[in-house]
């Protein structure tokens, strides 16, 4: 599938959400356990480290926040993972460490809803120009 520049603008934001089977190349930076909740005042989800900071939040839950380098936007992005998604990501990172390649982030339909999914690929995304550079130089 060849992507045009205007088709991938939603993948270049701070919280990218690819459409089903749409892929984007990412590089792992770090992973943190956080408490997440909906802030009615801010009208968005917020992440906090301590439970005492959740009193004004609704639907508080424990999540894993994955910080990645988004090669399409040329900057960092955050991806919220469930426990099952975190385990699947860790398997992909283990394969990446052993074999190298490119980690791709997508979402697939499971049980009627879209879930985050990662896979390791040898080649880069077709039709998308990703600048080659070292992650250490960027950060």
């Amino acid at each position: 599938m060849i992507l045009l520049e205007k088709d991938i603008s939603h993948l270049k934001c701070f919280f990218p959400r690819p459409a089903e089977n749409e892929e984007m190349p990412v590089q792992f930076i770090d992973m943190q356990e956080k408490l997440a909740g909906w802030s009615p005042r801010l009208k968005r989800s917020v992440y906090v480290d301590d439970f005492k900071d959740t009193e004004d939040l609704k639907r508080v839950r424990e999540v894993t926040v994955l910080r990645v380098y988004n090669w399409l936007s040329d900057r960092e992005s955050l991806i919220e993972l469930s426990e099952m998604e975190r385990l699947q990501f860790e398997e992909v990172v283990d394969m990446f460490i052993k074999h190298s390649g490119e980690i791709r982030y997508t979402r697939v339909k499971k049980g009627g809803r879209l879930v985050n999914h990662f896979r390791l690929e040898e080649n880069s995304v077709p039709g998308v120009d990703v600048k080659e550079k070292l992650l250490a130089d960027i950060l």
Side-chain angles (χ1 to χ4, degrees):
M1 170 168 104
I2 296 178
L3 299 173
L4 301 174
E5 190 67 28
K6 66 179 178 144
D7 294 333
I8 62 171
S9 62
H10 63 286
L11 300 177
K12 293 183 175 186
C13 58
F14 192 61
F15 289 98
R17 299 198 41 105
E20 184 177 8
N21 296 321
E22 184 177 45
E23 296 182 334
M24 60 183 274
V26 296
Q27 176 70 45
F28 171 74
I29 296 175
D30 92 10
M31 189 181 320
Q32 297 178 339
E33 298 295 322
K34 296 276 190 180
L35 292 170
W38 177 259
S39 171
R41 185 172 52 86
L42 300 174
K43 294 185 171 47
R44 65 178 177 91
S45 290
V46 295
Y47 300 104
V48 294
D49 293 316
D50 198 335
F51 194 74
K52 66 182 176 188
D53 298 330
T54 64
E55 62 187 43
D56 294 332
L57 302 178
K58 297 184 178 194
R59 297 187 306 274
V60 176
R61 64 207 181 276
E62 290 182 5
V63 296
T64 300
V65 178
L66 181 64
R67 191 165 59 118
V68 298
Y69 187 81
N70 181 340
W71 289 101
L72 296 179
S73 67
D74 208 19
R75 63 180 182 200
E76 291 182 18
S77 292
L78 295 181
I79 302 169
E80 186 178 307
L81 302 177
S82 68
E83 182 66 21
M84 181 183 70
E85 294 166 344
R86 182 184 63 81
L87 294 172
Q88 192 268 329
F89 175 74
E90 288 174 349
E91 289 176 10
V92 171
V93 168
D94 288 343
M95 289 189 314
F96 174 76
I97 291 169
K98 292 177 186 171
H99 307 289
S100 82
E102 182 177 271
I103 298 175
R104 296 210 191 148
Y105 166 51
T106 186
R107 296 182 334 152
V108 295
K109 207 167 245 192
K110 285 190 181 174
R113 58 178 267 178
L114 290 174
V115 296
N116 296 323
H117 184 77
F118 299 89
R119 69 183 192 87
L120 189 63
E121 183 66 39
E122 291 180 19
N123 304 317
S124 59
V125 177
V128 176
D129 292 326
V130 175
K131 300 173 193 163
E132 286 192 34
K133 54 185 148 185
L134 293 175
L135 187 59
D137 294 340
I138 297 166
L139 301 175

